[in-house]
Amino acid sequence: MWESQGDSAAGLISSTKLGVQTQGFHQRGSSWYVSADIPSDLLIQIAETNFHLHKYPLLSRSAKLNRILYDSRDPDLSKIVMDDLPGGPEAFELASKFCYGIPVDLTAGNISGLRCTAEYLEMTEDLEEGNLIFKTEAFLSYVVLSSWRDSILVLKSCEKLSPWAENLQIVRRCSESIAWKACANPKGIRWSYTGRAAKGSSPKWIEMKDSSPSRNQNQVVPPDWWFEDVSILRIDHFIRVMTAIKVKGMRFELIGAGIMHYASKWLPGLMMNEAAMPADESSNFSNSNSSSSSGGGLHMIVAASKEENTSTTSLQAKDQRMIVESLISIIPQQKDSVTCSFLLRLLRMANMLKVAPALVNELEKRVGMQFEQATLGDLLIPCYEKSETVYDVDLVQRVLEHFLVQEQTESVSPNRESFSEKQMNAKARVARLVDSYLTEVSRDRNLSLTKFQVLAEALPDSARTSDDGLYRAVDSYLKAHPTLSEHERKRLCRVMDCQKLSIDACMHAAQNERLPLRVVVQVLFSEQVKISNALANTALKEAVGVESHQYQPPVLTNRKTLLEGTPQSFQEGWTAAKKDINTLKFELDTVKTKYLELQNDMENLQKQFDKLMLKQKHTSPWTSGWKKLSKLTKITDNHHHHIAPQIPTPEEPHTRKTTRRWRNSIS
């Protein structure tokens, strides 16, 4: 259907009339000569190769050579230099043979160069019918573009023909042809591609009628059959092919897989399985890319040896940066189109090569979309900027922020009910990953307490069901930073919740002399609360007759072990703190008692004052002076009564009686 039984399509072309009788071309050193009876009268120099030819066969088919001779105003001009001819001496040799009427063999390897040379020499139909432009264009359209392998080879050969191949639409047409064949449904076509290309082999598509139906049904075409061939292209041509494939509607998972396959070939060290590539295949890629680089194209980057100079290293970095930037720009926007591990490795290389900040920010957002799939090894990205820390903690902080923003966006979506459980699982995985990352980077003595605390507190409390991972990170940080003050230690320990520690973590914390005393007390108190709750739950279950496991004995054993393992210094500190608490409680009770007594006295005085004011309103001015005196006496008596309540003495009734008689006598 797309491929003939042969390895590649080919064709023979020649001009219809001969201007000079010739027996062919022969080469002497770096010069080409025509075997003819007439001596040559024109020397054309292309790079370091000289062609000794005749004017008439060339001028009759090339408008450019006619114009050069005409503009020179020299009819005896015998030398023309054309160093900018596309295709080089090889393509001009074929064009010269065509002008002499010698049959030319057109193949996928030489058609693009010959087509560009014909355009450069302006070998159009205006000079002769069936000129070189017409015949090369027909071969491209009807032979090359109908073949998968020839389309790949022609596009590969265009790497040395920029910008001529672009202007003549050779790159666009080959890219669309490859994209159409890659997206076509292979059902009904017998597939004879073995998977991994070996020395130029490629998938061959043969019509169904040439094979038996039973054999074809047993052959399954893998969806990634086209990865290997497309990965040999230069990065700009690969981008053109992948863009065309994306327009054709291929699944984004396959597009992402193709990008990852290409990156594994052209970015050594990016993928883990890079070292597993066979040696012969690596040499093929190296040779192919080195040949294409001579024409200004990208070449495969290998590890630099000690003998390579600085300019070569900078050129490699420039080429790699171009590849990374191009791959970032074509990664599909859908989540899970590529793995999170690939994104993080690409991000590492982007930071190392100083890729454009906008592309790095876009890549960080992509990592944040699927951050729960990351692993600790991929997350340990070195800090390539001028920084004191070994790992780029700020990068992980930014990625984590992008993850939280993404989770927040999904939580307010119309389908948030279906995402709730998935989001909780994702946050839990990210929390475990962040705790492991903190444990690893905390060993860096240059990591500031602020960076550690900000990253640890970035996730919400609901993301962690247990703070054992945070405790390990805190303990590792304390071990690596023994000079922290007591205030800084307390500030560091605020990032974890003692109530979320497991039994084992509590036992370790109680024996950890690096922790502040306050934190140890909190751990012990939290453990006591857990034991009390466990005992209460056990008693409740026994009361209602529900069978339960005997949880009390092992807990008491752990409690005893916990207390026995506590250092003596902490035990003495705990005893002193307990004594201070009891003293404060006693003093507080004493103050409360005195306050109540004073409050009662104040209420009694207020009642007596109110009674005095009431009686004063009903007393006449004549007796007001005597009543004031009597009220003053009563107030004094009441005051003595409250201060020292005693049984009334015999003098008191006598005094009252005398006073009463005295008042009566006056009235």
Side-chain angles (χ1 to χ4, degrees), residues 15-72:
S15 58
T16 56
K17 67 178 182 179
L18 300 176
V20 177
Q21 296 293 333
T22 177
Q23 298 177 358
F25 280 49
H26 63 276
Q27 185 178 12
R28 299 175 186 172
S30 60
S31 301
W32 284 90
Y33 297 90
V34 181
S35 299
D37 297 335
I38 304 175
S40 62
D41 56 358
L42 181 62
L43 173 64
I44 296 181
Q45 181 179 350
I46 301 174
E48 297 180 356
T49 304
N50 297 323
F51 291 87
H52 300 271
L53 308 174
H54 302 84
K55 291 182 180 180
Y56 176 74
L58 299 179
L59 297 180
S60 62
R61 293 170 179 81
S62 173
K64 184 178 182 63
L65 292 177
N66 274 287
R67 188 168 59 255
I68 291 175
L69 290 175
Y70 178 79
D71 294 340
S72 67

Side-chain angles (χ1 to χ4, degrees), residues 523-546:
V523 170
L524 293 174
F525 178 76
S526 173
E527 183 63 19
Q528 186 176 6
V529 171
K530 291 179 182 178
I531 294 174
S532 300
N533 293 336
L535 292 175
N537 293 334
T538 303
L540 181 61
K541 291 181 179 179
E542 290 178 354
V544 297
V546 180

Side-chain angles (χ1 to χ4, degrees), residues 90-91 94 104-115 139 154 157:
E90 296 81 7
L94 298 178
V104 177
D105 185 13
L106 297 182
T107 64
N110 61 25
I111 185 60
S112 58
L114 189 58
R115 173 67 181 89
F139 186 83
V154 170
S157 65

Side-chain angles (χ1 to χ4, degrees), residues 328 331-340 343-344 346-347 350-351 356-373 394-407 409-410:
I328 295 174
I331 294 177
Q333 296 297 324
Q334 292 84 353
K335 184 178 179 180
D336 298 328
S337 58
V338 293
T339 63
C340 187
L343 291 174
L344 284 170
L346 199 62
L347 183 58
N351 288 335
L359 292 175
V360 173
N361 185 43
E362 180 65 24
L363 194 56
E364 290 176 355
K365 291 181 180 179
R366 293 300 311 274
V367 175
M369 290 175 59
Q370 48 198 93
F371 194 37
E372 69 276 7
Q373 304 173 7
D394 294 333
L395 183 147
V396 178
Q397 177 69 29
R398 292 192 299 269
V399 171
L400 183 57
E401 291 175 357
H402 291 314
F403 168 76
L404 294 175
V405 171
Q406 178 70 19
E407 292 293 312
T409 304
E410 292 181 355

